[in-house]
Amino acid sequence: MIPEKSKNQKLEALAKNELTLSKYLENYGATFSKDLDEMWNQHDFDCNGYLDKEEARGFVFEISQCIESSRAINYDPAKFDSLFYKFDEN
């Protein structure tokens, strides 16, 4: 059995990951009018390689402003907190 990683181990692994968001999403079917990696860096205020809840809130909002409109209509800021906690492993 493989032991579960601690929160700090997960965060360290995220920070060391050299795969850019743009590269990760290169086969994603949507287009963005802004560079995703630049947006990520602008919202990663503490430069630790990952976005905490408040950093992610701004990032997701900005994505909703630069993704094609047919997808942007799916973003509901009122649901951010519940979705963040659904996917946040820390």
Side-chain angles (χ1 to χ4, degrees), residues 45-61:
F45 300 123
D46 52 12
C47 300
N48 60 6
Y50 58 90
L51 302 180
D52 63 35
K53 181 180 173 188
E54 291 312 311
E55 291 169 332
R57 183 186 308 277
F59 178 73
V60 171
F61 176 78

Side-chain angles (χ1 to χ4, degrees), residues 17-30:
N17 185 355
E18 295 183 12
L19 184 65
T20 65
L21 186 57
S22 295
K23 184 71 175 166
Y24 182 77
L25 294 175
E26 70 184 357
N27 295 320
Y28 186 62

